[in-house]
Amino acid sequence: MFRDPHFFKFLRENVIPQIMAWPYLKIWCAGCATGEEVYSLAILLKEENLYDRCQIYATDYNSNSIDIAREAQYPLGKMQVFVENYNNAGGKKTFADYYHAKYGMVHLDSGLGKKIVFSHHNLVSDGSFGEMNLILCRNVFIYFNQILQNRVFELFDQSLCHGGFLCLGTKESMEFSGLKDHYTKISDKETIFKKKYY
Ligand SMILES: C[S@@+](CC[C@H](N)C(=O)[O-])C[C@H]1O[C@@H](n2cnc3c(N)ncnc32)[C@H](O)[C@@H]1O
């Protein structure tokens, strides 16, 4: 969890303050895999007192991954890395506040999933989600060629409200997208883009 802690730290310190004025937040975590990323986001939103006014959609085209994500159980052996990442991401409590351990597995608190809807969705062939304020799609574009990347950027552009944020993985970029003029890159280091008002 909290993979690339610098990303979550930046999100907490620089993006959350810009979106917290919205009365209700719709968030899409696209390509959520087995759920670590979306639960990390849930923890961050809880700590920023935003979780209760969020709706989070977590999607992936791999149904097995979605099933694992819904279970919210991870091997105890991963805990050391999770704790380090959480601390480096600017966690405000201790990571142990969010889970209990049983039979070699860590069970995340069920409350973390309260606002998350998990569903199957193929970014290449399925439709857009309406009026999202924040989209996370990290480490997914690496699977796509340029044509597919453009298709998915269009999908996100249709799904994101003006002033909303799109977060990509550290090795991904909008550089070759025809839509890049619709966005402002808000950090040199992080691949986070804000959709312009146009
Ligand atoms: C490397 S994982 C990234 C997980 C998470 N976003 C993160 O950064 O920790 C990539 C995920 O993208 C998903 N994926 C790949 N192609 C996809 C597609 N066409 N539609 C939806 N998800 C896709 C894979 O199933 C996988 O779960």
Side-chain angles (χ1 to χ4, degrees):
M1 294 181 69
F2 292 92
R3 177 182 188 181
D4 303 325
H6 55 85
F7 162 75
F8 285 97
K9 194 162 195 293
F10 189 90
L11 192 68
R12 187 193 288 272
E13 293 175 354
N14 298 280
V15 176
I16 296 296
Q18 295 190 54
I19 64 175
M20 65 196 318
W22 275 313
Y24 197 72
L25 294 171
K26 288 174 72 181
I27 300 173
W28 181 11
C29 188
C32 68
T34 45
E36 291 89 335
E37 181 181 50
V38 72
Y39 289 120
S40 306
L41 185 63
I43 289 173
L44 191 157
L45 292 166
K46 264 188 181 285
E47 293 184 354
E48 299 303 319
N49 295 318
L50 285 177
Y51 190 65
D52 288 336
R53 51 187 174 99
C54 289
Q55 180 64 61
I56 308 175
Y57 301 91
T59 64
D60 202 285
Y61 80 159
N62 184 326
S63 299
N64 291 335
S65 296
I66 290 286
D67 289 343
I68 294 169
R70 280 199 188 96
E71 290 292 312
Q73 295 177 20
Y74 303 100
L76 196 53
K78 291 190 171 177
M79 214 33 50
Q80 192 182 342
V81 175
F82 286 177
V83 170
E84 274 171 25
N85 284 353
Y86 169 77
N87 292 335
N88 290 333
K92 291 186 171 172
K93 299 171 83 177
T94 64
F95 193 69
D97 291 329
Y98 299 105
Y99 72 86
H100 66 275
K102 199 173 171 185
Y103 304 125
M105 297 294 280
V106 158
H107 297 237
L108 295 182
D109 286 352
S110 55
L112 289 177
K114 202 174 72 177
K115 294 289 190 154
I116 306 174
V117 176
F118 287 101
S119 65
H120 180 274
H121 181 277
N122 190 332
L123 290 163
V124 172
S125 54
D126 293 336
S128 57
F129 280 61
E131 286 296 290
M132 295 291 143
N133 304 103
L134 172 66
I135 297 176
L136 268 65
C137 185
R138 301 171 61 235
N139 310 303
V140 181
F141 275 83
I142 42 171
Y143 288 85
F144 303 145
N145 63 23
Q146 197 56 53
I147 294 167
L148 291 182
Q149 289 196 12
N150 286 336
R151 153 78 177 91
V152 180
F153 277 129
E154 274 179 26
L155 185 75
F156 289 154
D157 200 48
Q158 290 158 12
S159 303
L160 198 60
C161 69
H162 295 279
F165 291 85
L166 171 63
C167 306
L168 305 179
T170 49
K171 295 190 179 65
E172 296 164 333
S173 111
M174 285 195 85
E175 195 51 42
F176 301 105
S177 165
L179 293 166
K180 75 171 181 178
D181 290 345
H182 289 187
Y183 293 83
T184 308
K185 191 167 189 278
I186 64 160
S187 154
D188 286 337
K189 187 166 177 235
E190 307 298 336
T191 35
I192 303 180
F193 304 85
K194 182 174 186 176
K195 186 169 170 181
K196 294 176 185 170
Y197 291 88
Y198 56 84

